[in-house]
Amino acid sequence: MKAKQAAHFGLLTATALILGYLEQLVPIAPGLPGVKLGLGNLVLLYSLYAYNIRQTVVLMVLKVLLCSLLFSGPVALLYSLAGGILSLMAMVLLKRISGFSIIGVSAVGAVFHNLGQLGVAALIVGPLAALSYLPILMLSAIITGVLTGFIAGSVLKARNLFEPSNRK
Amino acid sequence: MQNRKAPFWRVTKRDLLLLGGFLLIAGLGAAYVFSQSHGDRIRIYVGSALYQEADLSEDQVILIQQEDGKENRLVIANGQAYMESANCPNRDCIAQTPLGGEDSQLRALGNWIICLPNQVSVELVAEGE
């Protein structure tokens, strides 16, 4: 069981990196940093629902560190880390509140990810400039958050069908 | 547990309320950003300090140089200002649409051109603001 979990964890880390790389290849809004698909959050969502909070935190930190090391460079590290921490905290909290599905959790994660990044941007260029970036960042987070939520939900559903032992 | 409750992948009413709330915030923010007056002067900031002010009616090239080698070239031509070049890694500021004129009515970034890596921001302001 432990070996299996370690293998799964490795797979999830690798998947997060590949999705992070793919995301770099398809910029959906040139000139607007932070407006992106958020595919990496798929893996965190999956981990949060299929495993536990602790593993998801480790996965988030690894994803942020390795992605900035491999693809986006050290400048992006601060943004990704602020976004990652805020996003995961928001997702964990919302998941604990009853009545929200993985779609809501995913959207909240996406929105708070962008808010975290915007917070760092506000420190750099001042709050007014950052504020004018809020609407487009929120809107893109809502759309991509719902999409990734649907995808992660479908993957987890399929996983439950294939592994009846996972159904408690 | 999951068998009795609705499965976690099915959208709930609360999800929709939450999404509606987020959309409302985004909408209010957009209304604020787009209601900002579109003037014909620009202010250039490095970090949060004012670097230079300029008038859009005067064609010129402004070089924004910093001690650590960061450099942006802002061009003002035909009543519009745009970033021509920058030695930052991502060049987002160059891809952003020009400030001033008709193009700046519905810009995603409102009245701003922002180069985050170089900490340079350019704001379109109204006369006397």
Side-chain angles (χ1 to χ4, degrees):
Chain A
M1 193 57 201
K2 264 200 160 170
K4 191 179 165 191
Q5 201 172 344
H8 279 176
F9 186 74
L11 271 177
L12 286 180
T13 314
T15 311
L17 290 185
I18 290 168
L19 291 177
Y21 178 65
L22 273 180
E23 203 162 67
Q24 305 269 317
L25 295 181
V26 263
I28 53 173
L32 302 173
V35 178
K36 52 182 186 174
L37 291 172
L39 294 176
N41 203 32
L42 274 175
V43 177
L44 296 185
L45 273 172
Y46 180 88
S47 168
L48 199 59
Y49 277 82
Y51 298 100
N52 51 49
I53 296 174
R54 208 176 58 174
Q55 175 182 308
T56 312
V57 171
V58 177
L59 203 57
M60 184 270 287
V61 173
L62 278 177
K63 167 182 169 279
V64 166
L65 286 179
L66 292 174
C67 265
S68 69
L69 201 70
L70 290 170
F71 316 124
S72 45
V75 188
L77 179 65
L78 202 58
Y79 294 93
S80 315
L81 202 59
I85 292 171
L86 210 61
S87 157
L88 196 51
M89 275 172 29
M91 289 199 293
V92 166
L93 280 176
L94 198 77
K95 184 171 176 285
R96 291 196 158 196
I97 303 172
S98 71
F100 289 104
S101 77
I102 194 168
I103 316 282
V105 171
S106 172
V108 130
V111 166
F112 275 80
H113 183 272
N114 284 359
L115 285 182
Q117 298 197 312
L118 200 64
V120 177
L123 292 180
I124 292 175
V125 292
L128 267 181
L131 196 67
S132 62
Y133 204 9
L134 179 85
I136 191 79
L137 272 186
M138 286 267 301
L139 190 67
S140 85
I142 295 165
I143 296 169
T144 60
V146 168
L147 283 177
T148 47
F150 265 114
I151 299 173
S154 309
V155 173
L156 283 156
K157 191 175 155 188
R159 171 181 177 275
N160 277 15
L161 291 179
F162 281 115
E163 279 186 62
S165 60
N166 285 323
R167 237 183 288 173
K168 278 178 191 157
Chain B
M1 262 243 310
Q2 280 160 16
N3 287 337
R4 262 173 275 137
K5 284 202 291 183
F8 60 81
W9 54 76
R10 194 156 297 158
V11 186
T12 66
K13 246 181 213 162
R14 287 194 179 187
D15 284 340
L16 295 178
L17 277 175
L18 181 80
L19 292 172
F22 281 150
L23 277 176
L24 190 69
I25 296 173
L28 288 176
Y32 167 76
V33 169
F34 293 140
S35 71
Q36 294 297 91
S37 54
H38 298 274
D40 45 14
R41 287 184 69 74
I42 54 162
R43 282 196 195 121
I44 304 163
Y45 301 88
V46 173
S48 49
L50 185 65
Y51 180 87
Q52 193 178 328
E53 268 195 60
D55 210 296
L56 285 185
S57 57
E58 267 172 63
D59 286 8
Q60 57 176 311
V61 177
I62 298 173
L63 206 57
I64 304 148
Q65 281 175 311
Q66 297 173 59
E67 282 171 9
D68 51 6
K70 290 172 185 159
E71 199 178 289
N72 294 56
R73 265 170 83 91
L74 185 82
V75 172
I76 300 178
N78 306 320
Q80 293 190 315
Y82 60 94
M83 204 69 88
E84 187 188 56
S85 67
N87 61 358
C88 60
N90 55 23
R91 313 294 165 95
D92 285 321
C93 52
I94 299 169
Q96 291 162 16
T97 50
L99 286 175
E102 311 223 318
D103 290 351
S104 66
Q105 287 304 319
L106 270 179
R107 294 177 82 247
L109 269 167
N111 281 345
W112 295 84
I113 288 177
I114 299 175
C115 177
L116 279 175
N118 286 3
Q119 312 192 357
V120 170
S121 51
V122 182
E123 184 187 16
L124 185 68
V125 291
E127 196 71 50
E129 206 179 293

